[in-house]
Amino acid sequence: FSGCGSGRSASCRFAHYFVVCGVDTETGLEPICVAQLSPCINRITSLLNLSVCLSGEGFEHSPVRRSFKSKVLAHYPENTDRNPFNKDAVNMLCMPRGLSFRTQADRLDPQFHSFTISFDDGTRSYGFVHTFYEEVTSPQIITAMQTLCQMHHSDVESLAGVSGCFGCVGSFDSTRDTLYVSKALCLVTPLPFLQASRQFLVQLHQAVTSQTAPPLPLESYIHNILYEVPLPPPGRSLRFHGVQGPILCQRPGPGELPLGEYPLGDAFSLLGVDNMVKLLTCALLETQVLLYSSDYQRLMTVAEGINTLLFPFQWQHIYLPIISAPLHHLLDAPVPFLMGIQRRDGAQRSSLNLPHEANLCFVDIDNHCVEAPEDLPQFPDQTELIQELSEVLLQFGLPPQGGVIAKPTTTSSSSPRLSSLVLEDLMEDRRNGNLGGEELAVLERLQALARRCGGGKMSDGGKTLGHVFEEEEEELKAAKLNIQLREVFAGHFAAMFGRYDDFVIHSALDLDSWLSNREGMFNFDKGSFLSVQPTSHLHFLSRFLETSMFSSFVDGKVISRWADREPLQQLFDSRLERERLYDTGSEDSCGCLYRKCTTLFESGQAIERRLLKADHTAIHPHLLDMRIGQGRHHPGYFPKLQADVLAQAQNTNKWSSRVTASRRDRYLQCLCQKTHTQISTQASRGVCLICYLFIQQKYTFARKNLRQSKLLDLTPQAITQTHREFVDGLLSECRLKTKRMLKERMGKESVELGQGEASITGLQENTLIHGLCDLLERTWGHGLQVKQGKSALWSHLLHYQANELIIGAFSAFSGSNCSDQRTVDDGALPLRGLLVQDMRFIQTMSEGLSDVGQARAWIHLALEKKMLSQHLKELLTNQELLRQLYKPHAFLLCEEEREQFLFHLLSLNTVDYLCFTRVFTSVCIPYRVVIIPMKKLSIAMATVDPWVCVSGELGDSGVRQIPKNTQEIFFQCKNLGRLSTLQLGQENSGLLAKCLIDCVMVYNEITGHTYKFPCGRWLGKGVGDGSLERVLIGQLVSPGAEEDAGRLTGTPPPELASPSQSVRIVLGSLGIQEDMREAVNNLVKHFHKPEQERGNLTVLLCGEGGLVLCLEKFLLHGLKSNRLFQRNVFVWDFVEKAVASMETADQMGDLHGSILTKGPPCDLLCHYVSAINASPRNIGKEGKFQLFVCLGIRDRLLSLWLPLLADCPLTARTYEDGALLRDRAAVHSLSRMLHTLNEFIITLETALVKGVDL
């Protein structure tokens, strides 16, 4: 298998770069950060012309324990076409803590870690770093360290008054101690070949430390892996040679999951199954994830493990599993991120001063702890998923509960000799299946003997045979565990989104129109998708559908109409299609029971075959055209490499005879060239994942994410630009979120008005508001430097509240001296008072809320009151407080962007929300009820003794007696939700106790909502229908309506037309029948909506345009009146007389023919009317008819009673010839319409049926 050639074919190589980082003896020691130096250190700095500092680690630390800047000493090649070398970024990631110094008294174990780095085109590369300690030979460095240590001990003595100890840990004396400094060898690869890269670097270092020189110069091995070792073709394995022996790597095939070698077993062992599922949930919902560990490789293991488990979705935001101290300013990032920081010795979490904690998932890997954000929804089928994962782990001997310390990332510090060539060849033949019969049996016996005897050495200083086999088995075990854990999650996502393509909306005709209108398009029918999901999944799914990773996933599906599908999505779709072919269950897989993964064995077998038997072998390392005498072997020192032989590939034709592959396939060279198109997908699961080219690179659809190369740039200009982009991103996100909320909410309001179909559930609305809360928290956390608690917004509010208390106390103390100033500020006082008042109410809520919970409650309340923008504007008027709390680059100190932000929030005032009322259901709310009589008869209120009972979605207030000679009452009770009905009655039954009630107003004193309950009828005996109690239907009125004028001035509003009068307006029969059909149709649509979308059933039954009023119009049509002076005629009078005639008529059996299971309809009609008349409630004739209709609908009898009333002999005498009740076709049509309601279960409010036992 020949090499890939030079620079133009770099994309098909196994490795892109080889890098050496360490101390630069020419520049000396340089500080990692600027700190205030002691006078002594300043003096030595000037004397030695060296730049040193305390590295932010405290002056109490010895210089040997401090960190200094490292440098890239060499990297090969200089550059590649597609992946330019970023020297500063690679240096920072190779040695995140900089240079570390040690003496012979310290541990000098080598360390291993890895990192990722993203390029501007969205691709990712992986770096694998082997760090070891090398003896310092530079006199300048030794002298500088000696002098720094002396100055440090001198300063300690002068400050503490004790003598310094030069023999203590961390001290250094050049006459006695040997000084060592860290050096890093790094291999940068396009794919995460963790095991192979680690083995190569370990073998390279062991060759350096060995007393025996390697067979070839080190340049030969480095040149070989850079230019002559290709990427293995998909679905194949490749063997190449390191310094000491063969190394194997493999790639998954086209139908398998992408390459992922980071050991998931270690991640699950560290955190446990429960915590890993919780962490994955946070990543899927795009919270801010911060990993915390003392070991860099643990940070990478957990981060990459979560990334691989996201398949088929991809992380779309900042991805930096390792950030060094100079990059800690990125913790200010007001966007979702997945970052990792190293725990310093003895450091606690509180020392991090995190600005964002409201939506932060903090993962303390070393202490096996995951702190998730509040209100984190449960992952779908979480219990079953955890059980299946636990079974997989137990099969591999790992405990599911976690807490197990993973294998250390140190490597052997010994210097073993090279294994014998006989053993090497024997092992290669075993891998390739070339051993058979006696040879294989002998090898197996040797293996068993080595294990029983502890593994005797096959050669002096070489690896034991038992150790070789154990390493192979451990590697195979880890690989099989990796793929099986990933298959479990991939299968679960396939079950959850098996029919996702049915809900993708293809509305654009071409790609140009789709790209130009992208923000205004809905590409996925979220409401319909959620409506077919199990109820237990909705909380998670409703939030996941709003994430960028799901949006990107759907965008890829839409774009696939005009371009090739993104490979990850293509793989996922092909898996779904394959499952559908073999799925013998129901057609709709949504909402199915949990199904275990059935491909675990097959996936493990595929990777086992590749690891046990190499498909191809790369060209062996060989002598290069080098100058004689350079690169001489010095044990313990990594040599200075010859740059000219490593800068580019050399002609390797004369070495082609050294290739040992017995099955060399010529077509693999072609496959190697095609590999590049697949690398981007498998290697770009990071910052800029959806940035890919399609259709001749004419269109690029990408999120405006920050490139990792910019994030790693530490120049002041780059940091300023980064925060500038954060500010622009927050403003853009606010615009998009408010626009989305407006469109969805307006769609719902049109549904409530009967103008369309619902497109959003209450759960989705809560999800959008949750996203708004998260946005505000991230905005207020950007650039924050002083914070109380976990919530940045609530911390600012608390500071504002404390400031207002001080101002209030000063104003009270000043007294009359400030009267002039108060008159100037009178306009601002009400708004400022409302802000503090709302805060006090939130603080007194008995909900046990945290700081984050209080902030969210305050946002919900302000949004419901339509005061969110005004409150935040008032909060930001205190510029002095802002400058105290925030850094100069903070979003809140950018005046223009801040004003636009508030303007977008102000647009939310155009729609109504009940988010506080419906979320905080157990809070105690103060209500005020005002009875408004007709203006001309308001004096009559003095003769009545009224009471009220207010009912809502969450309960009722109970009977509340209104004090005499007043028209209002104030009371507190548990949150009633959105109000629906109000019972109004009076205790005085005298003939003089009567009043004509216009309406009743109910005010929620916390949310500011006003409900109007129209009446327009008399309350009292001997007038109207003689009712002493009425059930009124409420409606929410918009703020600023005419009713508020009466509230503020005490003047009743103008008289309104009585509903009973409007009913008696003579209408044509066609109009009445149309209204009847509309009322029944509204009820049918109500029950066909998902339960979360249904409105108030009582309004549809008894409100304006409801079933009761429409049926009353139907029965009043053509009704004769023999009363004088055109007094009111009531339908209930006719119903009572009709029932009485049925009970006394001899021909009752001729009036009906149908028989119900409960008895004849006629008997039930008589029974219900008698029970209603016998009720102790004095609800009047209109109230009795309303109760009659509601009970008839509830018990599925109304459609049977209507024909009975039409056939009653009394009807012919009571109704005119053209009356609707005497029109058989009209009666039959109405009966059929009412019969359609029988399929629904109708539950009536207690206020409607109170006092009637039926």
Side-chain angles (χ1 to χ4, degrees):
F1 197 167
S2 62
C4 296
S6 58
R8 63 180 182 276
S9 304
S11 60
C12 72
R13 297 173 185 163
F14 176 87
H16 285 161
Y17 295 100
F18 178 80
V19 187
V20 182
C21 296
V23 59
D24 188 348
T25 57
E26 295 182 0
T27 60
L29 304 181
E30 295 185 31
I32 283 184
C33 65
V34 178
Q36 184 175 1
L37 306 181
S38 68
C40 294
I41 294 181
N42 280 327
R43 288 198 303 272
I44 191 62
T45 300
S46 60
L47 286 174
L48 297 178
N49 194 26
L50 296 177
S51 179
V52 297
C53 83
L54 304 181
S55 304
E57 296 172 312
F59 177 66
E60 66 276 5
H61 290 92
S62 167
V64 179
R65 292 290 179 262
R66 300 173 195 158
S67 299
F68 300 90
K69 279 188 177 181
S70 62
K71 294 287 181 66
V72 174
L73 304 180
H75 72 278
Y76 310 101
E78 188 68 24
N79 254 319
T80 61
D81 293 339
R82 297 189 58 84
N83 299 314
F85 187 76
N86 188 333
K87 181 179 292 188
D88 294 334
V90 172
N91 175 56
M92 190 183 307
L93 294 170
C94 281
M95 308 189 82
R97 290 193 65 174
L99 296 171
S100 296
F101 286 91
R102 296 288 186 270
T103 66
Q104 77 284 349
D106 301 314
R107 292 179 60 93
L108 301 177
D109 297 329
Q111 301 286 330
F112 175 83
H113 78 274
S114 56
F115 62 85
T116 67
I117 185 167
S118 297
F119 299 96
D120 289 347
D121 63 353
T123 59
R124 280 176 57 187
S125 290
Y126 292 81
F128 303 97
V129 186
H130 181 87
T131 305
F132 62 97
Y133 287 92
E134 191 175 71
E135 183 179 346
V136 178
T137 58
S138 169
Q140 184 185 22
I141 300 296
I142 295 175
T143 303
M145 184 60 66
Q146 171 78 29
T147 310
L148 285 173
C149 287
Q150 292 175 354
M151 295 298 100
H152 170 74
H153 287 287
S154 175
D155 284 351
V156 170
E157 288 179 7
S158 62
L159 293 174
V162 296
S163 60
C165 177
F166 278 88
C168 298
V169 176
S171 64
F172 173 68
D173 184 356
S174 60
T175 62
R176 182 187 66 249
D177 298 321
T178 303
L179 187 65
Y180 295 88
V181 66
S182 57
K183 178 172 282 189
L185 306 179
C186 174
L187 200 62
V188 180
T189 66
L191 293 178
F193 293 117
L194 174 66
Q195 300 299 335
S197 300
R198 182 173 184 169
Q199 291 179 38
F200 178 83
L201 293 174
V202 168
Q203 291 187 21
L204 197 65
H205 176 235
Q206 288 177 345
V208 171
T209 58
S210 174
Q211 297 299 320
T212 305
L216 297 170
L218 295 186
E219 287 87 346
S220 295
Y221 300 100
I222 297 172
H223 182 276
N224 177 253
I225 201 169
L226 285 178
Y227 301 108
E228 299 170 338
V229 177
L231 285 174
R236 301 296 182 91
S237 56
L238 171 72
R239 182 180 61 182
F240 63 94
H241 285 75
V243 182
Q244 291 187 332
I247 300 172
L248 193 69
C249 62
Q250 59 86 30
R251 282 178 68 186
E256 300 178 60
L257 294 176
L259 180 64
E261 288 197 1
Y262 283 85
L264 284 173
D266 289 357
F268 277 85
S269 296
L270 285 166
L271 296 177
V273 178
D274 291 0
N275 280 334
M276 281 295 289
V277 173
K278 185 189 300 184
L279 175 56
L280 181 67
T281 304
C282 293
L284 286 166
L285 298 181
E286 296 184 339
T287 67
Q288 294 177 321
V289 179
L290 183 62
L291 309 179
Y292 193 47
S293 175
S294 58
D295 190 331
Y296 289 121
Q297 187 57 19
R298 287 183 182 177
L299 297 174
M300 275 295 297
T301 298
V302 174
E304 280 296 303
I306 290 299
N307 242 332
T308 57
L309 295 179
L310 291 177
F311 173 85
F313 309 104
Q314 304 174 61
W315 182 258
Q316 300 293 317
H317 303 280
I318 295 178
Y319 182 74
L320 290 170
I322 297 176
I323 60 172
S324 56
L327 292 175
H328 281 196
H329 69 276
L330 293 178
L331 296 175
D332 269 352
V335 294
F337 57 68
L338 201 166
M339 294 193 288
I341 57 176
Q342 187 192 38
R343 179 200 299 272
R344 298 298 179 98
D345 295 336
Q348 300 297 325
R349 175 187 170 173
S350 56
S351 63
L352 297 176
N353 297 322
L354 301 174
H356 304 282
E357 292 185 271
N359 201 32
L360 176 72
C361 177
F362 186 81
V363 184
D364 191 342
I365 300 176
D366 299 337
N367 293 319
H368 327 295
C369 175
V370 175
E371 297 179 21
E374 295 182 17
D375 301 327
L376 183 73
Q378 192 177 57
F379 194 74
D381 295 319
Q382 179 168 311
T383 303
E384 294 82 357
L385 177 63
I386 289 176
Q387 178 63 31
E388 185 176 6
L389 293 171
S390 301
E391 293 173 0
V392 173
L393 290 172
L394 289 173
Q395 290 177 3
F396 288 85
L398 296 178
Q401 66 272 17
V404 178
I405 302 300
K407 292 181 297 184
T409 55
T410 59
T411 56
S412 175
S413 59
S414 61
S415 303
R417 298 179 181 178
L418 298 180
S419 302
S420 67
L421 295 178
V422 176
L423 174 60
E424 178 182 333
D425 293 339
L426 194 62
M427 297 300 298
E428 290 185 19
D429 287 337
R430 177 184 179 274
R431 286 194 186 95
N432 290 319
N434 295 331
L435 290 182
E438 296 180 359
E439 294 173 324
L440 185 58
V442 170
L443 186 61
E444 291 175 350
R445 287 198 297 271
L446 285 174
Q447 178 186 6
L449 179 62
R451 289 175 176 170
R452 288 198 302 270
C453 300
K457 292 182 179 181
M458 300 300 295
S459 62
D460 185 24
K463 287 185 178 180
T464 67
L465 184 61
H467 182 62
V468 171
F469 282 107
E470 286 177 5
E471 284 184 348
E472 284 189 359
E473 291 182 359
E474 285 298 320
E475 182 179 348
L476 176 60
K477 177 182 175 181
K480 293 175 69 174
L481 176 59
N482 259 23
I483 197 65
Q484 291 192 18
L485 290 173
R486 294 173 64 194
E487 286 286 353
V488 170
F489 282 97
H492 194 38
F493 283 125
M496 292 167 55
F497 298 96
R499 297 285 178 182
Y500 84 95
D501 48 351
D502 294 342
F503 302 94
V504 176
I505 302 173
H506 299 281
S507 56
L509 298 178
D510 53 58
L511 185 59
D512 281 322
S513 61
W514 184 83
L515 288 173
S516 58
N517 300 290
R518 171 66 188 90
E519 288 185 359
M521 286 189 174
F522 290 99
N523 295 330
F524 194 77
D525 190 350
K526 299 174 183 177
S528 298
F529 178 79
L530 291 174
S531 66
V532 297
Q533 302 300 318
T535 305
S536 59
H537 296 186
L538 294 180
H539 194 190
F540 170 84
L541 288 175
S542 62
R543 287 177 57 178
F544 177 69
L545 297 186
E546 300 297 327
T547 60
S548 296
M549 70 172 68
F550 183 77
S551 176
S552 169
F553 181 74
V554 174
D555 288 339
K557 187 68 175 179
V558 175
I559 293 174
S560 66
R561 298 174 61 194
W562 306 288
D564 293 337
R565 280 183 296 178
E566 199 267 344
L568 281 186
Q569 190 162 41
Q570 184 175 0
L571 173 60
F572 185 66
D573 289 346
S574 64
R575 285 178 159 231
L576 294 182
E577 293 171 3
R578 186 170 64 249
E579 286 189 9
R580 291 169 189 169
L581 290 176
Y582 296 102
D583 188 8
T584 57
S586 61
E587 184 67 21
D588 185 10
S589 61
C590 294
C592 64
L593 297 176
Y594 183 82
R595 293 181 296 180
K596 287 189 175 182
C597 182
T598 58
T599 60
L600 296 183
F601 180 77
E602 293 80 0
S603 60
Q605 286 294 104
I607 197 169
E608 182 176 8
R609 179 192 61 79
R610 291 193 294 269
L611 288 178
L612 292 181
K613 184 177 180 180
D615 296 306
H616 309 285
T617 303
I619 188 171
H620 280 239
H622 51 84
L623 284 174
L624 302 173
D625 187 10
M626 297 173 57
R627 292 185 298 273
I628 303 300
Q630 292 197 13
R632 185 173 298 175
H633 180 69
H634 297 284
Y637 295 92
F638 192 83
K640 184 176 181 180
L641 303 174
Q642 292 191 30
D644 54 343
V645 299
L646 295 177
Q648 59 184 358
Q650 295 187 356
N651 187 355
T652 61
N653 289 339
K654 61 181 179 178
W655 305 108
S656 60
S657 60
R658 305 179 69 101
V659 179
T660 61
S662 59
R663 294 180 299 277
R664 183 189 308 169
D665 299 326
R666 295 183 180 274
Y667 76 94
L668 290 179
Q669 298 183 30
C670 299
L671 286 178
C672 188
Q673 303 299 330
K674 298 178 182 178
T675 303
H676 169 71
T677 58
Q678 301 178 13
I679 295 176
S680 299
T681 301
Q682 298 184 5
S684 63
R685 298 187 298 272
V687 179
C688 311
L689 296 173
I690 61 172
C691 182
Y692 59 93
L693 302 178
F694 50 86
I695 307 186
Q696 299 178 351
Q697 299 183 353
K698 183 178 180 181
Y699 304 105
T700 299
F701 177 72
R703 286 173 54 83
K704 295 182 179 179
N705 290 329
L706 291 167
R707 308 299 186 190
Q708 192 182 31
S709 57
K710 293 183 179 179
L711 296 176
L712 298 178
D713 191 343
L714 294 179
T715 60
Q717 297 84 357
I719 295 176
T720 301
Q721 180 62 25
T722 295
H723 286 288
R724 180 72 251 174
E725 293 186 24
F726 285 149
V727 170
D728 294 340
L730 286 173
L731 183 60
S732 176
E733 187 177 355
C734 180
R735 177 178 59 84
L736 293 176
K737 279 190 182 294
T738 52
K739 182 179 179 180
R740 169 80 194 283
M741 292 176 68
L742 285 173
K743 292 178 69 174
E744 297 288 9
R745 185 61 201 170
M746 287 178 175
K748 185 169 185 179
E749 289 179 348
S750 68
V751 171
E752 294 171 352
L753 296 173
Q755 298 175 0
E757 290 298 325
S759 61
I760 182 172
T761 65
L763 183 62
Q764 283 180 281
E765 181 176 294
N766 292 338
T767 300
L768 294 177
I769 296 175
H770 181 277
L772 178 65
C773 295
D774 174 47
L775 171 63
L776 292 176
E777 284 287 358
R778 286 188 281 111
T779 303
W780 257 253
H782 182 231
L784 181 63
Q785 58 185 357
V786 179
K787 179 164 69 76
Q788 301 177 18
K790 289 188 174 183
S791 169
L793 176 59
W794 191 249
S795 172
H796 192 173
L797 286 167
L798 291 175
H799 282 97
Y800 174 86
Q801 186 183 40
N803 216 27
E804 287 300 304
L805 290 176
I806 294 175
I807 294 175
F810 178 77
S811 299
F813 177 78
S814 301
S816 59
N817 295 333
C818 299
S819 58
D820 296 338
Q821 181 66 31
R822 284 200 303 271
T823 57
V824 175
D825 294 339
D826 269 347
L829 284 177
L831 186 60
R832 179 179 302 174
L834 286 175
L835 173 56
V836 177
Q837 178 183 336
D838 288 347
M839 279 193 66
R840 289 174 179 168
F841 174 76
I842 298 299
Q843 290 169 323
T844 58
M845 287 171 57
S846 59
E847 301 277 329
L849 298 175
S850 63
D851 292 339
V852 177
Q854 287 180 314
R856 291 177 179 172
W858 183 85
I859 294 172
H860 279 72
L861 179 58
L863 186 60
E864 185 166 325
K865 294 178 68 173
K866 302 187 177 184
M867 295 289 292
L868 181 59
S869 179
Q870 291 91 325
H871 279 350
L872 294 178
K873 185 175 183 179
E874 172 61 29
L875 183 65
L876 298 173
T877 54
N878 191 332
Q879 294 294 318
E880 183 179 353
L881 179 61
L882 279 177
R883 286 188 290 269
Q884 292 175 3
L885 299 180
Y886 290 91
K887 302 171 187 176
H889 64 257
F891 178 91
L892 298 182
L893 292 179
C894 300
E895 185 173 352
E896 182 178 348
E897 288 77 9
R898 186 180 65 204
E899 291 300 320
Q900 294 183 50
F901 191 91
L902 294 175
F903 176 78
H904 292 312
L905 293 179
L906 183 63
S907 65
L908 296 177
N909 290 359
T910 58
V911 294
D912 296 322
Y913 285 101
L914 292 172
C915 48
F916 181 85
T917 300
R918 287 175 172 166
V919 172
F920 300 93
T921 56
S922 59
V923 67
C924 190
I925 299 288
Y927 293 95
R928 189 160 69 98
V929 180
V930 179
I931 300 176
I932 301 179
M934 287 295 183
K935 187 174 182 181
K936 296 180 180 178
L937 301 173
S938 59
I939 193 173
M941 284 295 298
T943 64
V944 300
D945 192 10
W947 57 266
V948 293
C949 178
V950 184
S951 300
E953 297 171 331
L954 304 177
D956 63 72
S957 65
V959 174
R960 303 281 178 165
Q961 192 72 42
I962 297 181
K964 288 193 175 186
N965 300 323
T966 61
Q967 298 175 212
E968 66 178 358
I969 183 176
F970 180 90
F971 63 87
Q972 287 190 338
C973 68
K974 188 178 177 181
N975 184 8
L976 302 177
R978 180 165 184 164
L979 304 186
S980 55
T981 60
L982 181 142
Q983 300 175 63
L984 173 65
Q986 66 153 319
E987 299 295 339
N988 192 347
S989 58
L991 293 177
L992 296 179
K994 51 190 176 183
C995 181
L996 182 59
I997 304 297
D998 182 2
C999 63
V1000 179
M1001 306 298 295
V1002 180
Y1003 305 103
N1004 185 320
E1005 297 294 321
I1006 297 300
T1007 66
H1009 282 149
T1010 300
Y1011 295 87
K1012 179 180 179 181
F1013 295 84
C1015 182
R1017 284 165 282 184
W1018 285 92
L1019 189 68
K1021 277 195 173 182
V1023 62
D1025 63 348
S1027 174
L1028 295 180
E1029 177 184 341
R1030 295 198 181 278
V1031 178
L1032 308 180
I1033 309 302
Q1035 58 189 24
L1036 182 64
V1037 298
S1038 58
E1042 287 188 23
E1043 294 80 62
D1044 279 344
R1047 172 186 177 184
L1048 297 176
T1049 62
T1051 303
E1055 293 182 24
L1056 302 176
S1058 169
S1060 58
Q1061 294 172 351
S1062 64
V1063 168
R1064 283 179 282 280
I1065 297 175
V1066 179
L1067 297 175
S1069 59
L1070 293 178
I1072 294 175
Q1073 293 181 80
E1074 181 61 32
D1075 291 345
M1076 195 71 212
R1077 280 192 291 270
E1078 184 65 23
V1080 174
N1081 189 40
N1082 288 337
L1083 285 169
V1084 173
K1085 289 195 294 184
H1086 169 87
F1087 287 104
H1088 277 288
K1089 294 175 185 176
E1091 189 171 352
Q1092 299 93 338
E1093 299 179 22
R1094 296 176 183 176
N1096 192 337
L1097 180 61
T1098 303
V1099 174
L1100 297 179
L1101 289 174
C1102 308
E1104 190 69 30
L1107 182 66
V1108 172
L1109 291 181
C1110 290
L1111 189 57
E1112 186 176 4
K1113 293 178 184 179
F1114 186 92
L1115 295 177
L1116 282 174
H1117 184 264
L1119 182 61
K1120 299 177 182 178
S1121 174
N1122 57 359
R1123 300 192 179 193
L1124 299 177
F1125 309 112
Q1126 295 295 319
R1127 296 182 63 189
N1128 291 343
V1129 178
F1130 298 99
V1131 175
W1132 187 249
D1133 292 331
F1134 164 71
V1135 174
E1136 283 184 314
K1137 292 178 180 178
V1139 169
S1141 67
M1142 292 178 190
E1143 290 176 339
T1144 57
D1146 295 333
Q1147 300 85 8
M1148 183 184 303
D1150 297 333
L1151 299 177
H1152 59 86
S1154 61
I1155 303 296
L1156 296 177
T1157 56
K1158 295 183 179 181
C1162 183
D1163 295 341
L1164 290 172
L1165 175 60
C1166 298
H1167 174 63
Y1168 272 65
V1169 171
S1170 300
I1172 292 172
N1173 280 327
S1175 170
R1177 299 172 65 190
N1178 294 312
I1179 56 178
K1181 296 178 180 180
E1182 292 182 352
K1184 290 178 180 180
F1185 178 74
Q1186 176 177 283
L1187 182 57
F1188 171 78
V1189 174
C1190 291
L1191 290 174
I1193 284 293
R1194 185 196 68 179
D1195 298 336
R1196 301 177 176 88
L1197 297 172
L1198 190 60
S1199 61
L1200 302 175
W1201 288 344
L1202 194 62
L1204 291 178
L1205 295 175
D1207 293 340
C1208 179
L1210 181 65
T1211 303
R1213 300 193 301 270
T1214 310
Y1215 283 85
E1216 299 173 354
D1217 292 339
L1220 287 173
L1221 193 58
R1222 297 186 62 180
D1223 185 345
R1224 289 187 175 274
V1227 172
H1228 180 65
S1229 174
L1230 178 57
S1231 180
R1232 285 193 304 168
M1233 282 193 295
L1234 296 175
H1235 184 73
T1236 60
L1237 301 177
N1238 291 351
E1239 61 178 293
F1240 308 117
I1241 299 176
I1242 295 178
T1243 303
L1244 301 176
E1245 282 192 36
T1246 305
L1248 297 177
V1249 297
K1250 184 178 180 181
V1252 179
D1253 187 14
L1254 286 171

